[in-house]
């Protein structure tokens, strides 16, 4: 453990019953509640279907993908706000009134340490939650499956503190229960700051039995009663402290045996060597051990945890994204020719690129043209598209809109490229709202198509919605980069 591992092993633990000393927290006032978030609202299923491009597989962000009982999707609302949408198993919440009450209660919370709940949807047997989207993965990803660099000691301590502050805030607002607290529930925002997912504040099922992790990690009282208490949450906090210390998901019973045997080298992440002192390691192990007490009443509460973790913080002046080695959206992005054209609102350049691309990115719509036998109506539909293409080629925006509309209204074939071309034609006709609607529809059909995002950006720039346009532009740039990387 660190540069003084042997010293720590000899002095770490002098007994299981010492109190967690409450150090004075200079920032003891409550964290400011987030004020720039919209109030909690109810969404329609159609709104969330559009936001997630029809609950597209490409937008799933759940750790277990489609096999998860409750699937989480990334999405984008009409105002370009990025969201995470959790779609529950249809048997999870049979009582719609209970679901709405729970969601509204969680949705009343607003704090910078949470990935806050923005809304919900309750239609028929569908139950969905809508939360802030956190773009920089989970703690599990950064701690257990890192690719470029292991998480630094200072960042691990920050995660522990911020998590403690999140739980302290929720407790102060009457939401002390958190279901299945684990490393997958901690997410990182654009700044690299850790946030606690609001989804865990709502139970996952009607009977409240929400622990999905291996039983070796569940609180002892949960195994006896099948119910969690605020003290159960503290036990799970202890397992997370062990995760942060070891860089592995070690069963608490095994970790406590190592602590009793003073075998802390086996407990500590070798990647942390030289990053912390014996005293700091001793204190973190002691706090974890207190959280993992068998008797619930002997575990600390969130307030005392925060007070104990605060003095351990290191490199407090260094931003989280620097410690994490991740880039922020606000940093300069390099744009492709299409991205640059949308930023400049150069409709001629956009037209040239779309015309050159043709129907290359359509998933089968263009191949429909090779079939020889058509009904009269189908032939008319295809003729409308051909006329639209000819008008688009000659920059006759009005005629292009009319012809593409005839093709789209029949609804026999779906083509994202047709929507993209009509979107640009609307922009050429000074109809930015219609252009935005078509660009969104193109993305519903093809969720990872960068051109749809770019055209949304151009439409938003035309409407004077600068901030939202920049978000769409960034999204288009990221999608285009991913496409170029994979191809």
């Amino acid at each position: 453990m660190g540069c003084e591992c042997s010293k720590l092993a000899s002095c770490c633990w002098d007994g299981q019953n010492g109190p967690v000393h409450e150090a004075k927290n200079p920032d003891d006032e409550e964290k400011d509640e987030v004020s720039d978030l919209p109030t909690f609202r109810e969404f329609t299923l159609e709104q969330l279907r559009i936001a997630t491009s029809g609950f597209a597989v490409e937008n799933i962000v759940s750790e277990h993908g489609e096999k998860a009982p409750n699937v989480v999707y990334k999405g984008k609302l009409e105002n370009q706000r990025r969201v995470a949408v959790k779609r529950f198993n249809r048997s999870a919440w049979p009582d719609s009134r209970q679901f709405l009450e729970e969601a509204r209660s969680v949705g009343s919370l607003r704090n910078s340490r949470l990935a806050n709940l923005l809304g919900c949807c309750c239609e028929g047997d569908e139950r969905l939650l809508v939360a802030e989207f956190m773009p920089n993965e989970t703690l599990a990803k950064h701690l257990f499956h890192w690719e470029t660099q292991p998480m630094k000691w200072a960042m691990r301590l920050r995660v522990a503190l911020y998590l403690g502050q999140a739980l302290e805030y929720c407790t102060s607002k009457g939401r002390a229960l958190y279901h299945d607290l684990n490393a997958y529930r901690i997410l990182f925002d654009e700044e690299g700051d850790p946030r606690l997912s609001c989804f865990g504040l709502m139970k996952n099922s009607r009977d409240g039995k929400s622990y999905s992790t291996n039983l070796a990690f569940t609180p002892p009282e949960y195994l006896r009663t099948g119910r969690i208490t605020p003290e159960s949450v503290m036990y799970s906090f202890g397992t997370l402290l062990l995760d942060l210390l070891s860089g592995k998901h070690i069963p608490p019973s095994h970790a406590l045996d190592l602590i009793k045997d003073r075998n802390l080298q086996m407990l500590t992440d070798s990647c942390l060597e030289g990053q912390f002192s014996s005293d700091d390691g001793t204190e973190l192990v002691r706090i974890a051990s207190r959280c993992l007490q068998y008797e619930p009443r002997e575990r600390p509460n969130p307030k005392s945890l925060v007070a104990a973790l605060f003095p351990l913080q290191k490199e407090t002046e260094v931003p989280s994204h620097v410690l994490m080695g991740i880039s922020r959206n606000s940093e300069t992005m390099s744009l492709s020719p299409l991205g640059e054209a949308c930023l400049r609102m150069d409709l001629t350049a956009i037209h040239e690129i779309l015309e050159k691309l043709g129907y290359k990115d359509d998933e089968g719509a263009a191949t429909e043209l090779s079939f020889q036998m058509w009904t009269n109506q189908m032939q008319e539909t295809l003729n409308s598209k051909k006329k639209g293409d000819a008008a688009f080629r000659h920059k006759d925006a009005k005629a292009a809109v009319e012809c593409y509309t005839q093709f789209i209204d029949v609804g026999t074939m779906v083509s994202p490229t047709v929507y993209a071309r009509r979107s640009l034609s609307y922009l050429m006709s000074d109809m930015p709202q219609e252009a935005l609607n078509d660009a969104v529809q193109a993305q519903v059909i093809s969720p990872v198509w960068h051109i749809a995002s770019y055209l949304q950006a151009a439409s938003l720039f035309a409407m004077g919605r600068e901030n939202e346009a920049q978000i769409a532009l960034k999204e288009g740039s990221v999608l285009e980069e991913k496409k170029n990387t994979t191809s």
Side-chain angles (χ1 to χ4, degrees):
M1 171 181 291
C3 55
E4 302 181 61
C5 184
S6 59
K7 216 188 288 185
L8 175 56
S10 66
C11 67
C12 170
W13 188 242
D14 297 324
Q16 297 279 336
N17 298 313
V20 173
H21 299 294
E22 294 198 18
K24 181 67 177 173
N25 181 350
D27 278 359
D28 216 17
E29 66 272 10
E30 186 176 305
K31 289 293 298 176
D32 288 339
E33 294 190 25
V34 181
S35 59
D36 62 343
L37 283 177
T39 54
F40 181 86
R41 59 176 281 203
E42 289 183 40
F43 293 88
T44 66
L45 185 60
E46 184 59 22
Q47 285 174 318
L48 299 185
R49 194 181 301 280
I50 291 172
T52 59
S53 298
F55 300 105
V57 174
E58 297 93 332
N59 284 334
I60 293 177
V61 292
S62 308
E63 298 290 344
H64 303 292
E66 288 182 288
K67 296 180 180 178
N70 307 304
V71 183
V72 181
Y73 300 83
K74 64 180 177 181
K76 186 171 62 176
L77 301 179
E78 288 179 358
N79 62 1
Q80 301 297 304
R81 180 182 288 279
R82 299 175 76 193
V83 291
V85 179
K86 180 173 184 176
R87 193 179 195 182
F88 282 93
N89 180 296
R90 295 195 174 193
S91 62
W93 289 91
D95 187 337
S96 59
R97 186 173 61 178
Q98 184 190 19
F99 173 78
L100 284 171
E101 287 175 357
E102 276 277 294
R104 286 178 185 135
S105 177
V106 174
S108 67
L109 305 177
R110 286 289 182 269
N111 192 267
S112 60
R113 298 291 181 251
L114 295 175
N116 295 278
L117 191 65
L118 304 178
C120 72
C121 173
C122 186
E123 282 187 23
D125 55 1
E126 289 278 6
R127 308 285 181 264
L128 302 99
L129 297 175
V130 182
E132 291 182 280
F133 178 70
M134 301 290 114
N136 283 310
E137 305 283 0
T138 64
L139 176 62
K141 168 78 172 176
H142 290 290
L143 202 55
F144 308 140
H145 310 296
W146 53 272
E147 295 168 0
T148 54
Q149 66 175 44
M151 186 178 287
K152 295 179 180 178
W153 175 248
M155 193 64 213
R156 298 187 194 206
L157 292 174
R158 189 172 299 180
V159 169
L161 175 64
Y162 283 22
L163 174 58
Q165 289 174 333
L167 293 175
E168 182 182 10
Y169 168 78
C170 293
T171 301
S172 73
K173 298 297 182 180
R175 303 289 311 191
L177 295 185
Y178 194 94
H179 301 265
D180 200 14
L181 179 63
N182 59 59
Y184 292 98
R185 299 284 200 178
I186 300 167
L187 313 164
F188 293 86
D189 64 19
E190 288 187 357
E191 301 297 320
D193 286 329
R195 308 256 207 121
L196 178 62
S197 169
C198 62
F199 292 153
L201 291 166
M202 287 184 66
K203 60 188 179 186
N204 286 334
S205 63
R206 56 184 164 185
D207 59 9
K209 294 185 177 181
S210 302
Y211 270 83
S212 60
T213 52
N214 186 299
L215 292 179
F217 297 89
T218 57
E221 63 274 14
Y222 177 82
L223 298 177
R224 296 195 301 266
T225 67
R227 290 286 180 271
I228 68 166
T229 65
E231 291 77 22
S232 307
V233 182
M234 291 300 96
Y235 186 93
S236 296
F237 190 99
T239 67
L240 272 167
L241 290 182
L242 293 179
D243 291 348
L244 291 166
L245 184 65
S246 66
K248 296 184 286 290
H249 202 33
I250 300 177
S253 58
H254 179 55
L256 289 172
D257 286 342
L258 291 175
I259 292 170
K260 287 175 186 174
D261 295 341
R262 304 176 188 272
N263 190 3
L264 295 175
Q265 262 183 309
M266 293 291 292
L267 184 61
T268 308
D269 193 339
S270 59
C271 296
L272 296 173
E273 186 169 356
Q275 291 190 32
F276 64 95
S277 69
S278 171
D279 289 345
D280 287 348
T282 299
E283 182 63 10
L284 197 67
V285 169
R286 196 169 67 83
I287 296 169
S289 300
R290 295 295 299 140
C291 292
L292 295 170
Q293 289 294 291
Y294 184 83
E295 291 297 334
R297 66 177 180 274
E298 294 180 5
R299 299 171 197 157
N301 59 39
K303 187 174 182 179
S304 65
L305 278 178
V306 170
L309 288 165
F310 197 88
L312 296 179
Q313 300 305 302
K314 309 294 180 188
E315 301 185 55
T316 54
E317 73 289 348
V318 181
S320 294
H321 73 92
V322 174
L323 288 176
M324 295 284 286
I326 58 179
S327 61
R328 295 176 300 169
N329 275 358
S330 56
E331 292 174 0
T332 306
M333 54 181 164
S334 87
L335 293 173
S336 67
L338 179 56
E340 286 284 359
C342 291
L343 179 62
R344 298 192 313 269
M345 283 299 294
D346 185 343
L347 302 186
T348 301
I350 298 172
H351 176 272
E352 187 178 320
I353 293 169
L354 288 189
E355 174 62 27
K356 187 176 180 181
L357 178 67
Y359 286 82
K360 202 180 295 181
D361 286 343
D362 274 21
E363 292 184 351
T367 61
E368 299 279 358
L369 306 180
S370 63
F371 291 100
Q372 298 302 312
M373 299 194 60
W374 299 101
T375 63
N376 290 336
Q377 183 186 28
M378 183 61 75
Q379 193 61 56
E380 285 179 25
T381 303
L382 289 171
N383 286 338
S384 297
K385 177 182 168 298
K386 287 178 181 177
K387 289 177 183 176
D389 289 341
F392 183 80
R393 189 177 309 115
H394 293 101
K395 301 182 186 175
D396 185 347
K398 184 179 178 183
V401 166
E402 288 176 0
C403 295
Y404 285 142
T405 299
Q406 290 172 17
F407 173 79
I408 288 169
D409 286 349
V410 172
T412 308
M413 291 183 292
V414 179
S415 166
T417 299
V418 167
Y419 276 104
R421 289 181 166 213
R422 192 173 72 168
S423 174
L424 181 58
S425 299
Y426 275 132
L427 276 176
M428 291 173 165
S429 305
D430 198 23
M431 299 170 71
Q433 182 59 61
E434 290 79 0
L436 178 61
N437 295 342
D438 271 3
V440 168
Q441 192 58 43
Q443 192 163 48
V444 169
I445 299 167
S446 188
V448 295
W449 197 34
H450 60 285
I451 289 174
S453 293
Y454 279 141
L455 286 171
Q456 289 173 49
S459 304
L460 290 162
F461 278 127
M463 297 165 75
R465 292 157 64 175
E466 179 80 21
N467 291 339
E468 295 167 37
Q470 290 288 353
I471 294 170
L473 196 65
K474 173 67 176 178
E475 184 180 69
S477 177
V478 170
L479 290 174
E480 185 174 19
E481 189 177 338
K482 282 183 181 176
K483 181 187 177 187
N484 292 338
T485 302
T486 53
S487 61

